[in-house]
Amino acid sequence: MMITQTPVRGFTLIEIIVSVGLFSVVMLVSTAAYFTIITLDKEARATNELVVNLSFAVDSISRNIRTGKNYSCAGVGNGTCSQFSFIDSQGQMVTYLMKGTTVAQCVFPQGDTTACSSSLAVSLTDPRITVNTLIFNVRGVGPSDSREPQTTMSIRGTMPSAQGRTVQFTLQTSATQRYLEI
């Protein structure tokens, strides 16, 4: 009886070279896509950080305005101003204004007659955010106005974005006084 052996067959050198080449191309494309995704994620996180900072500042201002009293508006006129002051819920005099290209705040104890200026103010927004205009529209203040005090704040500016570009933004929010005068 004769036993026949089937020859053991393997991969040829050409097949191995082709498969390693294809694997290298796929890994190169995958790695490039991975690094691109990481770069885009970093840029998105940086932009998101600026947006969160600006949103926090606007929310903080709105919350303080809602619980404040004795609103006063200095600047343009007709209820429109660039500097807005009031007494907050702790009895402190609070003023919001522009300091260079940022939104800033002055806080003085009640009874302190120091005038708020940009040199005394503390910036609320990130310095990377460029605020071009800060306008307050105030209504319902003064002895002849019987409406509930309401303030609308508008902020316009730019912030850096991905790949060195800048994004223009306009933010507007309104706050109605919630102070109970009993």
Side-chain angles (χ1 to χ4, degrees):
M1 187 161 175
M2 209 167 170
I3 300 176
T4 59
Q5 280 187 320
T6 55
V8 177
R9 215 174 129 117
F11 293 106
T12 65
L13 183 59
I14 299 290
E15 291 172 330
I16 291 175
I17 290 173
V18 168
S19 64
V20 168
L22 285 173
F23 177 75
S24 298
V25 168
V26 168
M27 289 307 294
L28 183 66
V29 169
S30 299
T31 304
Y34 179 71
F35 285 132
T36 301
I37 289 172
I38 288 175
T39 302
L40 291 174
D41 181 60
K42 285 180 184 178
E43 291 171 354
R45 286 176 189 259
T47 302
N48 187 42
E49 179 184 336
L50 293 176
V51 170
V52 166
N53 175 271
L54 186 60
S55 178
F56 178 77
V58 169
D59 286 345
S60 175
I61 292 169
S62 295
R63 192 174 308 110
N64 282 342
I65 290 172
R66 282 187 192 103
T67 59
K69 61 181 179 178
N70 298 344
Y71 296 169
S72 92
C73 193
V76 181
N78 279 345
T80 301
C81 57
S82 57
Q83 186 169 327
F84 180 68
S85 300
F86 61 95
I87 296 175
D88 71 0
S89 59
Q90 279 84 38
Q92 300 172 325
M93 177 60 86
V94 178
T95 303
Y96 293 107
L97 68 157
M98 285 206 33
K99 177 181 183 177
T101 58
T102 64
V103 176
Q105 167 187 16
C106 288
V107 178
F108 297 112
Q110 189 172 12
D112 190 344
T113 59
T114 306
C116 181
S117 66
S118 61
S119 62
L120 297 174
V122 176
S123 293
L124 296 176
T125 56
D126 192 303
R128 294 174 290 178
I129 298 172
T130 303
V131 176
N132 298 325
T133 58
L134 171 66
I135 297 173
F136 295 94
N137 291 313
V138 183
R139 65 183 181 129
V141 294
S144 63
D145 200 340
S146 61
R147 292 181 286 185
E148 185 174 29
Q150 182 180 22
T151 304
T152 301
M153 176 178 57
S154 299
I155 301 174
R156 289 192 176 135
T158 60
M159 68 176 68
S161 177
Q163 303 164 349
R165 291 178 280 180
T166 58
V167 176
Q168 292 185 353
F169 66 88
T170 301
L171 249 143
Q172 185 173 5
T173 187
S174 292
T176 304
Q177 183 184 36
R178 298 290 183 233
Y179 180 75
L180 294 176
E181 296 182 40
I182 299 177

